[in-house]
Amino acid sequence: MKFEKKSLKFLEKYLNTSSPTGYEHEGQKVWMDYIKPYVDKIEVDHYGTCYGIINPEAEFKVVIEAHADEISWYVNYITDDGLIYVIRNGGSDQTIAPSKIVHIHGEKGIIKGVFGWPAIHTRGANQNEPVPKIENIFIDCGATTKKEVEEMGIYVGCMITYPDEFFEMNDRYFVCRALDNRIGGFMIAEVARLLKENKKTIPFGLYITNSVQEEVGLYGADMIADTIKPNIAIVTDVTHDTTTPMIEKKKEGDQKCGDGPVVFFAPSVHHVIRELIIDTAKAKKIPFQRAAASRATGTDTDAFAHSNGGVPSALISLPLRYMHTTVEMVSKEDVGNVIQLIYETLLKITPEMKLKYH
């Protein structure tokens, strides 16, 4: 699948817009502006989850969903010397923090800072040398007192993000922080675009849903599932490419960027929807991989599946390298195939489908 120029322009703008958990609104504005021409109606809930609806009057409802939030940091403590200590907002990785530039979202706008770290000469390169931990990573924003920090508009509770931006690598990969999971928001938006531009009519209401607060507990999906009350949910998120060093395939499975979308097997994944996805992939010759999740998928699939007395839900994941870093990577080919797989699967769904196992 070749990406349209307008699609790639949207993807770049969307990824480059900071949307930390709980503060997703700037990214959501970009997303809503893009999908507006492809849907009949757009809704937003109180916490910022957005959804575009095709056929809003239809009784039978199908959700395709991704999450909009990215991991970040909170200002937690400001020392008398003007240094800033942090706590996580989502699964932020302290080991990648030292020497990273950050944007502190203060009350007077964005202030640049850096995660400082002692020089190798001073800490001693031996087995006892310090490793980055939440207790010892800190941000220097050029201030020398707590008062100076506060005069910059920085207080406890301010959000901190990385400024790293989107680029393409070797014409094969998209690279950026927050591909987890704004690439999902991109893919479901592209499904909406394809339906519109290919003039496809669907016999149900389609809810293209971009949820907030996934990174801290699937909360946005939990809320919006109760609002929409769908009959079916197809969720897309990222999963690990397990072919890079230091990942144990016996534990994490065998998934690879470039080998296609990953269809998950898990208790919360509904057999009928999963088999429909697999049958569609086979019929349309879309490459796909399989993965299994013990107990829970750890994605918004679980929130939808367990809502409203049980909503038949399935998960199509995108293999990603270096999750929760600033250099997350996905295969462009896989992105195109996830879009195609969701699109083709939707064209096979009917309100008359038998969804019960017995």
Side-chain angles (χ1 to χ4, degrees):
M1 176 178 175
K2 197 174 185 305
F3 296 102
E4 306 246 334
K5 272 188 182 169
K6 64 180 175 184
S7 303
L8 287 176
K9 197 174 167 190
F10 158 61
L11 176 61
E12 182 166 2
K13 185 179 181 184
Y14 184 42
L15 283 167
N16 289 350
T17 304
S18 292
S19 299
T21 303
Y23 292 80
E24 298 90 349
H25 23 280
E26 291 305 319
Q28 294 290 56
K29 283 183 204 164
V30 174
W31 188 80
M32 287 188 289
D33 282 348
Y34 183 74
I35 68 157
K36 198 174 184 181
Y38 311 129
V39 297
D40 300 321
K41 190 179 182 184
I42 290 179
E43 296 282 0
V44 184
D45 79 359
H46 288 120
Y47 275 87
T49 291
C50 306
Y51 51 107
I53 315 170
I54 298 170
N55 302 336
E57 306 307 317
E59 208 174 298
F60 195 87
K61 300 173 186 176
V62 176
V63 159
I64 56 173
E65 192 261 8
H67 73 84
D69 56 319
E70 65 180 287
I71 56 172
S72 60
W73 303 97
Y74 277 113
V75 174
N76 186 49
Y77 169 59
I78 303 166
T79 72
D80 292 340
D81 295 331
L83 297 174
I84 296 166
Y85 284 82
V86 299
I87 55 170
R88 292 184 182 93
N89 185 25
S92 298
D93 186 349
Q94 74 281 357
T95 62
I96 69 157
S99 85
K100 290 296 296 178
I101 295 166
V102 295
H103 281 171
I104 307 163
H105 299 253
E107 291 184 2
K108 297 178 182 177
I110 288 175
I111 303 291
K112 274 197 169 181
V114 295
F115 270 114
W117 193 245
I120 190 168
H121 325 59
T122 64
R123 64 179 197 263
N126 59 53
Q127 62 185 20
N128 299 318
E129 73 168 303
V131 294
K133 299 175 189 169
I134 286 289
E135 309 89 74
N136 67 14
I137 59 170
F138 61 92
I139 291 169
D140 188 333
C141 63
T144 55
T145 65
K146 181 176 181 177
K147 187 169 180 282
E148 258 189 81
V149 174
E150 291 180 341
E151 281 169 356
M152 290 177 175
I154 300 168
Y155 297 91
V156 168
C158 282
M159 197 55 60
I160 301 156
T161 58
Y162 294 119
D164 302 66
E165 295 198 333
F166 170 85
F167 65 97
E168 292 185 42
M169 195 156 70
N170 195 26
D171 200 31
R172 181 178 290 148
Y173 294 103
F174 293 138
V175 183
C176 197
R177 45 146 259 299
L179 282 170
D180 175 12
N181 182 33
R182 285 213 281 291
I183 193 67
F186 170 74
M187 294 189 297
I188 60 174
E190 287 298 276
V191 172
R193 180 181 67 78
L194 287 176
L195 288 168
K196 181 77 170 181
E197 292 181 357
N198 294 339
K199 296 181 169 60
K200 296 292 182 184
T201 54
I202 45 177
F204 50 81
L206 180 63
Y207 292 68
I208 301 103
T209 305
N210 211 12
S211 299
V212 298
Q213 297 190 31
E214 187 271 352
E215 294 289 359
V216 291
L218 321 181
Y219 295 134
D222 201 18
M223 293 183 257
I224 206 64
D226 291 344
T227 301
I228 297 173
K229 295 183 169 51
N231 298 89
I232 290 172
I234 296 173
V235 172
T236 186
D237 204 331
V238 293
T239 192
H240 304 287
D241 175 326
T242 59
T243 63
T244 57
M246 296 181 285
I247 297 178
E248 177 53 72
K249 287 184 182 180
K250 288 174 191 166
K251 181 171 174 273
E252 301 293 345
D254 189 4
Q255 302 88 233
K256 183 181 181 182
C257 285
D259 280 6
V262 179
V263 179
F264 262 84
F265 289 69
S268 60
V269 172
H270 196 273
H271 299 196
V272 175
I273 312 302
R274 185 191 64 228
E275 291 311 306
L276 177 67
I277 290 165
I278 289 173
D279 291 347
T280 302
K282 288 175 178 174
K284 296 294 175 181
K285 296 187 167 48
I286 300 168
F288 71 95
Q289 307 174 72
R290 299 167 190 256
S294 173
R295 294 178 70 87
T297 69
T299 71
D300 284 341
T301 315
D302 303 329
F304 276 94
H306 303 154
S307 71
N308 300 289
V311 173
S313 303
L315 173 60
I316 301 173
S317 287
L318 176 72
L320 174 141
R321 291 181 166 194
Y322 320 125
M323 195 181 292
H324 287 205
T325 72
T326 55
V327 291
E328 294 180 339
M329 288 171 59
V330 294
S331 155
K332 291 163 67 172
E333 196 177 333
D334 287 344
V335 172
N337 280 324
V338 171
I339 294 165
Q340 211 60 42
L341 184 53
I342 296 172
Y343 172 80
E344 295 291 353
T345 301
L346 289 176
L347 296 180
K348 291 182 180 294
I349 291 174
T350 66
E352 295 75 38
M353 281 177 67
K354 183 178 178 291
L355 294 170
K356 288 186 177 174
Y357 293 159
H358 303 295

